[in-house]
Amino acid sequence: GITSIYQNKWFKEYNLISDDFSSVIDSLNYDLTDVHYMNNKLVISHTNENSPEFQIYNIADGPFADTLTLINTIETPEIPNALYSTGDTLFVGMGNHGGVLVYNFENPDNVKEINWVATGFSIKELYWDPLYRWLLLSCGFQGVVVIELDESMQEVDSWVLNTSYAYAA
C-alpha cells in the first residue's frame, strides 16, 4: 500500500538534487489501489477508507521543484480499483461489481461523467486502446471483458472471455 508521497527537491538553477525529501501527501489511505499520471496531473484512487473516491493533483513547475496541489476529489459508487487514461478521457474501474465510470478530463476542476459501462463486473485492471476504441477489463474470476466504444464513449459491442482468473489483460 502507498501511504505517503515524497518529493525530492530539484534545484534547477544549480542543476543538483538535494538529499531532503519533503512529504507532499502524508495522509493517504493504506488501502490505496492505483496511481496514474497524465497531462501533468496525478490521479490517486481509493484515497479515503470511509468513502469511495479518487483525488486529482496538479503538478506545477515551481521555482525550486515541481509542486503537487489537490485540485479535485470525486466520489464513486464503489471503491475505485484501477485508473487509466489517454488524452482527455479517464477510466475508473471499480470493485464490488461497480463496473467502469468514464469521465471527461478536459477540465480537471470540473470532471464530468460521460458513461458507466460494465456494471455487474468487478474491475481489477483496465486498458484502453484508442486506435481500435477497445476497453479491456480484467475482472478476476469473472474473466476478461472487451468493450468497443464509439467516439462519444458509448458502447457499440462487448464480449466476455471466460478465464480461471484475470489479474491483467
Side-chain angles (χ1 to χ4, degrees):
I2 300 171
T3 57
S4 300
I5 295 177
Y6 291 89
Q7 179 172 314
N8 184 313
K9 296 293 183 190
W10 171 259
F11 296 96
K12 297 173 186 173
E13 184 176 332
Y14 303 107
N15 203 26
L16 61 90
I17 298 174
S18 81
D19 293 334
D20 178 33
F21 287 91
S22 60
S23 177
V24 177
I25 305 170
D26 63 359
S27 60
L28 290 174
N29 177 15
Y30 184 73
D31 292 328
L32 182 138
T33 52
D34 202 2
V35 177
H36 186 72
Y37 174 77
M38 55 180 260
N39 300 338
N40 290 329
K41 306 291 182 274
L42 187 66
V43 184
I44 303 173
S45 64
H46 193 39
T47 52
N48 184 337
E49 64 186 38
N50 299 317
S51 173
E53 67 181 29
F54 63 94
Q55 293 180 343
I56 304 166
Y57 291 84
N58 188 45
I59 300 175
D61 192 25
F64 298 108
D66 293 343
T67 58
L68 200 61
T69 308
L70 176 66
I71 56 174
N72 206 337
T73 298
I74 299 174
E75 291 186 15
T76 56
E78 298 296 337
I79 293 173
N81 283 336
L83 303 167
Y84 195 85
S85 175
T86 56
D88 293 330
T89 305
L90 175 67
F91 299 93
V92 179
M94 297 176 290
N96 199 25
H97 309 287
V100 177
L101 285 169
V102 183
Y103 292 95
N104 179 326
F105 204 75
E106 194 172 339
N107 178 2
D109 294 320
N110 187 20
V111 177
K112 295 183 180 178
E113 183 181 322
I114 301 172
N115 199 356
W116 191 352
V117 298
T119 55
F121 288 92
S122 298
I123 312 304
K124 304 294 181 194
E125 185 182 65
L126 53 89
Y127 174 77
W128 169 245
D129 183 331
L131 179 64
Y132 294 104
R133 307 197 66 77
W134 289 344
L135 184 63
L136 275 65
L137 309 173
S138 305
C139 302
F141 289 112
Q142 295 174 298
V144 175
V145 176
V146 180
I147 300 174
E148 182 182 5
L149 300 172
D150 65 15
E151 295 78 27
S152 303
M153 294 297 159
Q154 301 303 307
E155 189 172 332
V156 174
D157 207 351
S158 63
W159 303 268
V160 177
L161 309 172
N162 292 321
T163 63
S164 57
Y165 195 91
Y167 290 101

